[in-house]
Amino acid sequence: MDRIKQAREGFARVYGDDENVRVYFSPGRVNLIGDHTDYNGGRVFPCALTDGTLFAVRRRGDDTLRMYSENFAQEGITEGSLADLDALRGSGWTAYPAGSIWAVKQAGYAVDGGLDLWISGNIPNGAGLSSSASVEVGTITAVSDLFDLGISSAEAAALGQKGENGFNGVACGIMDQFAVAMGQKDHAVLLDTNTLQYAQVPLELGDATLVIAFTNKQRKLGESKYNERRAQCEEALRRIQTRVNAASLGALRSADLPALEDVIADPVLFKRARHAVTENERVGEAAERLSAGDLAGFGALMTASHESLKHDYEVTGIELDTLAETAAAYPGVLGARMTGAGFGGCCVILVRTDAAEGMIRSVGDTYREKIGYAADFFFASAGQGACRLD
Ligand code: GLA
């Protein structure tokens, strides 16, 4: 069904028909390479997906906030107040729209009315495809449009991250919200998280295709580990700074590392720093390979990235390793890696199009045998960032 029609009908079922409803779409994202670099001043290379979250939203004359998600239909409508957003902290999915509005208000914008919000997402929650950033940036896009706030896409990304950090207590970087806000059809975004400079790189895959493989293991439990990894990188940097002048791990080169091992003085912290530094280098190289049409070279860097996330950063686990390693060994696969935070979630696989179906069957069989339940596979294409549809 047409998305606008679907959103209007969904809204009407929950809140009643109203022609003042506006419709928005906000994508999920898949990161092609560059994980756990965005909070280390490094580069990332994600693209927005064509799948994500559909919004139908109506402005209200009072302070009431009503929120409904088709993905949590059993919860019905959650009601809150603009004047007391804090009451919605930790409230499950509604903390994402609430946290986004909180961030918009914190930035000094006048959100002078409540909302009736209907959403429906078609990317799995907790899959590492940024369903939460999709909701955050989509909410901000809608609020900016409905209240004429003039928030740019880049600012929507920053505010979405602020909501996630300050309202939801996850110390994430800017990658997810940036990709969701700034993505362009058939492009990947090469973002330097240190300067926020970015380039839209055409995602020309020739006879290859991107496949996303979901472990069906949600990454929810990983949030404390995520914050722990981040703290380990900060500690490694603090020790490095007693010797050299580096603003972030992203400012270092792998050639600098051997001389820093003794000052880091901890094998675990050293491995964490090594991942951040080498992954940042891989991102730059991968973008060059892609632009040069060298898909084999690009894929090899993806696979090397997985290895580093497995051994140095230790954020993969048996589910992601089984998918990525089984895929990487399959003829016609150019590269495979976990994507996002890790600890469950998804892998992204670059595969020759004519080998894709066979790969999905074969990797799916191995995964089910080894893990005991099935993985899900999707074909991915790069779509547009959050926008109004009607
Ligand atoms: C999560 C965070 C991002 C990023 C990735 C890992 O998706 O939200 O900011 O740190 O993990 O690359």
Side-chain angles (χ1 to χ4, degrees), residues 170-251:
V170 180
C172 68
I174 188 72
M175 169 171 70
D176 303 346
Q177 291 80 6
F178 201 90
V180 167
M182 305 293 286
Q184 276 184 11
K185 188 173 164 14
D186 298 328
H187 287 73
V189 190
L190 177 62
L191 169 69
D192 180 337
T193 63
N194 191 30
T195 59
L196 290 188
Q197 288 194 328
Y198 68 97
Q200 301 283 358
V201 180
L203 194 55
E204 281 162 3
L205 299 180
D207 64 353
T209 304
L210 286 174
V211 172
I212 293 175
F214 179 28
T215 55
N216 275 315
K217 182 188 178 199
Q218 300 210 341
R219 70 160 190 85
K220 205 89 204 108
L221 291 173
E223 267 156 25
S224 58
K225 289 279 179 203
Y226 180 92
N227 290 347
E228 180 190 291
R229 289 296 179 279
R230 189 171 177 149
Q232 287 170 331
C233 286
E234 281 161 8
E235 178 57 20
L237 179 64
R238 203 188 55 73
R239 295 184 187 187
I240 288 167
Q241 286 169 333
T242 62
R243 177 161 310 158
V244 296
N245 200 353
S248 68
L249 293 179

Side-chain angles (χ1 to χ4, degrees), residues 18-242:
D18 185 340
E19 60 187 25
N20 293 317
V21 170
R22 293 188 190 174
V23 178
Y24 307 84
F25 178 75
S26 182
R29 69 94 188 92
V30 62
N31 190 23
L32 302 178
I33 189 163
D35 274 308
H36 294 281
T37 47
D38 67 345
Y39 50 83
N40 283 312
R43 287 166 293 185
V44 293
F45 199 31
C47 54
L49 294 169
T50 48
D51 289 327
T53 317
L54 192 55
F55 287 70
V57 195
R58 170 175 64 189
R59 204 180 145 148
R60 293 177 58 95
D62 59 11
D63 260 3
T64 304
L65 203 53
R66 294 197 295 174
M67 297 173 279
Y68 178 91
S69 166
E70 292 291 348
N71 303 76
F72 298 92
Q74 71 285 359
E75 293 179 18
I77 296 175
T78 300
E79 209 168 296
S81 164
L82 262 192
D84 185 18
L85 289 170
D86 275 343
L88 292 161
R89 279 184 199 261
S91 61
W93 77 269
T94 54
Y96 295 107
S100 307
I101 298 169
W102 171 87
V104 170
K105 286 180 68 180
Q106 285 271 310
Y109 289 104
V111 182
D112 50 12
L115 297 173
D116 288 334
L117 176 97
W118 171 96
I119 67 170
S120 176
N122 66 348
I123 42 175
N125 297 318
L129 300 176
S130 295
S131 58
S132 51
S134 174
V135 171
E136 289 157 4
V137 174
T139 302
I140 295 168
T141 304
V143 167
S144 173
D145 180 55
L146 286 163
F147 296 96
D148 277 324
L149 303 181
I151 296 173
S152 71
S153 297
E155 194 182 359
L159 292 174
Q161 182 200 18
K162 191 169 176 199
E164 181 98 36
N165 295 166
F167 198 83
N168 287 307
V170 180
C172 68
I174 188 72
M175 169 171 70
D176 303 346
Q177 291 80 6
F178 201 90
V180 167
M182 305 293 286
Q184 276 184 11
K185 188 173 164 14
D186 298 328
H187 287 73
V189 190
L190 177 62
L191 169 69
D192 180 337
T193 63
N194 191 30
T195 59
L196 290 188
Q197 288 194 328
Y198 68 97
Q200 301 283 358
V201 180
L203 194 55
E204 281 162 3
L205 299 180
D207 64 353
T209 304
L210 286 174
V211 172
I212 293 175
F214 179 28
T215 55
N216 275 315
K217 182 188 178 199
Q218 300 210 341
R219 70 160 190 85
K220 205 89 204 108
L221 291 173
E223 267 156 25
S224 58
K225 289 279 179 203
Y226 180 92
N227 290 347
E228 180 190 291
R229 289 296 179 279
R230 189 171 177 149
Q232 287 170 331
C233 286
E234 281 161 8
E235 178 57 20
L237 179 64
R238 203 188 55 73
R239 295 184 187 187
I240 288 167
Q241 286 169 333
T242 62

Side-chain angles (χ1 to χ4, degrees), residues 36-37 40 229 232-237 240 249-250 252-254 257 260 264 266-280 282 308 312-313:
H36 294 281
T37 47
N40 283 312
R229 289 296 179 279
Q232 287 170 331
C233 286
E234 281 161 8
E235 178 57 20
L237 179 64
I240 288 167
L249 293 179
L252 297 169
R253 298 289 158 263
S254 48
L257 287 171
L260 295 169
I264 295 176
D266 178 296
V268 172
L269 295 185
F270 182 73
K271 288 202 295 182
R272 304 298 187 249
R274 184 166 60 194
H275 168 75
V277 172
T278 59
E279 182 79 348
N280 186 33
R282 278 186 291 272
S308 178
D312 275 356
Y313 221 63

